Amino acid sequence: MEIPAINLKAIVLVHWLLTVWGCMAWLPQSFAWGNFSVLAIGVWAIAQRDSIDAVLMFLMGMIVTILTDIIHIGIFYPSNDLAAERARDVLRFSTGMAILNLLLKPASCFFVYQMYRERGGDYNVNFDLETSVDSRCTTDSADSAFIGRRY
């Protein structure tokens, strides 16, 4: 099954629009600064099509903002319901867009990772303990290196 190619420009544009709409009513400036900073790195990744570092930094920034968005929404969501009707509608819309932005980020991270791999990045996580450096440095191999040496 082939993974569909999603344009990096579309990812940055969608997240920019959802971040702007999410910041309309209640989220603090730290939410905006964090998300717009990561989107600026996304613009850098768009501008330098052959840069592996730009797309990797964009991917890492998106992963970090998933966590910070959860914290912002959890901490700063207003619990009182005393706002006027219009303010409640704006609050609901802004909240919905912030949550939609958060829900789309894992899918965007997946597509950005695919772009990272296409650009030549090779960041594989390997948990093979038998071929790791620690298992090769056993006492047997250390003892055999000193056999026959005189000090």
Side-chain angles (χ1 to χ4, degrees):
M1 184 170 128
E2 182 100 10
I3 299 169
I6 302 293
N7 193 352
L8 189 58
K9 293 176 189 176
I11 291 172
V12 170
L13 179 67
V14 166
H15 284 288
W16 176 81
L17 186 63
L18 291 174
T19 301
V20 167
W21 284 343
C23 292
M24 284 175 47
W26 59 279
L27 283 166
Q29 289 183 353
S30 59
F31 177 86
W33 276 103
N35 281 288
F36 288 132
S37 298
V38 170
L39 292 175
I41 296 171
V43 171
W44 173 37
I46 291 169
Q48 290 188 345
R49 294 181 185 270
D50 58 342
S51 176
I52 297 172
D53 294 334
V55 77
L56 180 63
M57 286 181 62
F58 181 56
L59 175 63
M60 293 301 145
M62 290 286 282
I63 291 170
V64 168
T65 57
I66 290 172
L67 178 64
T68 60
D69 288 358
I70 292 170
I71 292 169
H72 280 109
I73 292 170
I75 290 175
F76 292 104
Y77 185 75
S79 59
N80 59 358
D81 207 19
L82 301 175
E85 185 66 31
R86 177 167 163 73
R88 273 188 291 184
D89 292 341
V90 173
L91 176 70
R92 270 192 233 132
F93 177 77
S94 177
T95 303
M97 295 302 107
I99 292 172
L100 182 60
N101 188 19
L102 178 61
L103 291 175
L104 287 177
K105 280 188 181 182
S108 296
C109 288
F110 175 75
F111 290 120
V112 171
Y113 179 71
Q114 293 301 320
M115 289 174 211
Y116 171 70
R117 296 292 303 264
E118 288 172 5
R119 291 186 184 190
D122 189 27
Y123 190 73
N124 291 328
V125 179
N126 186 6
F127 293 111
D128 187 15
L129 298 176
E130 291 184 22
T131 61
S132 68
V133 175
D134 295 336
S135 65
R136 283 185 270 161
C137 296
T138 61
T139 57
D140 295 337
S141 63
D143 292 339
S144 63
F146 291 111
I147 294 176
R149 282 194 176 171
R150 290 190 174 178
Y151 292 103

